[in-house]
Amino acid sequence: MLTDFFSKEIIVFLLGAAPVSEVRGAIPVGMLVFGFPVLKTYILATLGNITPVIPLLLFLDRFSKYLMKKSLLLNNFFNWLFERTRVKHSGHFDKWKYAPLALFIFVAIPVPLTGAWSGVIAAIIFGIPFFEAAVSISLGVAVAGVLVVLLTSLGILTASQFML
C-alpha cells in the first residue's frame, strides 16, 4: 500500500500535484479515506496542485521553443497550432483582454480535463503572459478546491471514484 512508503499527507499533496487527479481526486481521498480535517486537506491538495504551475509554465514554453529550433516538422506544427488557435479565438477574448479571466474560469470549474495542468497548456497555446497565467491558474485552483470540498462534504464526490 502507498501509505507504507509515504505519509498520508504526502499522498494527498502528490495527488493534488498529479495531472489527472489534481484537487478533484486529492480532496475526497484526504477527507474520506484518510479522515483529514477539511482545512488540512484543502491546503495540502491546493498547494500540491499549485506547486507545478510555475515550473510547467516556464518549462513547457521554453521546451516548445527549443523543439521548434531543432525540428522543422515541430516548428511547422507549433507555428500552425499557435497561429490557428490565437487567430481563431482572439475575438472571443476581445484581443486577449479577458484571456486571464477565461483561464481562471476554465481552471476553477472542477470537471475532467480542466485544472492547473490543462490551464498551463492553454496559457502557452493562447500566449497568455507568464504572470497573468500563473495568477489566474493559482486562483482557479483555489476556487476549484473550495468547490470540491463542498461537493465532497455534500456527498456528491466520493473517494471511491478516485481509488484505483
Side-chain angles (χ1 to χ4, degrees):
M1 180 139 200
L2 278 175
T3 54
D4 295 338
F5 299 104
F6 299 107
S7 73
K8 293 175 182 178
E9 288 83 2
I10 291 175
I11 292 172
V12 172
F13 182 88
L14 292 175
L15 280 172
V20 176
S21 57
E22 300 192 32
V23 292
R24 295 178 303 278
I27 289 174
V29 169
M31 288 174 60
L32 303 175
V33 174
F34 297 143
F36 290 160
V38 172
L39 186 59
K40 178 179 181 177
T41 304
Y42 174 81
I43 290 170
L44 288 170
T46 303
L47 286 177
N49 202 192
I50 291 172
T51 297
V53 169
I54 290 176
L56 284 171
L57 280 170
L58 292 171
F59 173 75
L60 289 179
D61 187 42
R62 290 181 178 153
F63 186 62
S64 66
K65 289 175 183 173
Y66 170 79
L67 291 176
M68 290 170 71
K69 290 179 184 176
K70 295 295 180 182
S71 168
L72 180 61
L73 177 66
L74 290 174
N75 184 35
N76 290 338
F77 169 74
F78 282 121
N79 279 325
W80 170 81
L81 177 67
F82 296 150
E83 280 298 314
R84 180 171 187 249
T85 305
R86 291 171 187 168
V87 169
K88 185 176 181 180
H89 297 285
S90 64
H92 296 134
F93 300 129
D94 191 27
K95 296 191 180 181
W96 305 111
K97 181 178 176 184
Y98 298 108
L101 176 63
L103 183 61
F104 162 77
I105 292 168
F106 175 75
V107 174
I109 299 172
V111 296
L113 301 177
T114 67
W117 287 75
S118 300
V120 167
I121 293 169
I124 291 169
I125 290 174
F126 286 106
I128 299 172
F130 172 82
F131 181 76
E132 292 174 10
V135 170
S136 296
I137 293 168
S138 297
L139 291 174
V141 167
V143 170
V146 170
L147 294 174
V148 173
V149 164
L150 291 173
L151 293 171
T152 304
S153 298
L154 294 172
I156 295 170
L157 285 179
T158 62
S160 63
Q161 294 171 323
F162 301 98
M163 300 304 289
L164 299 176

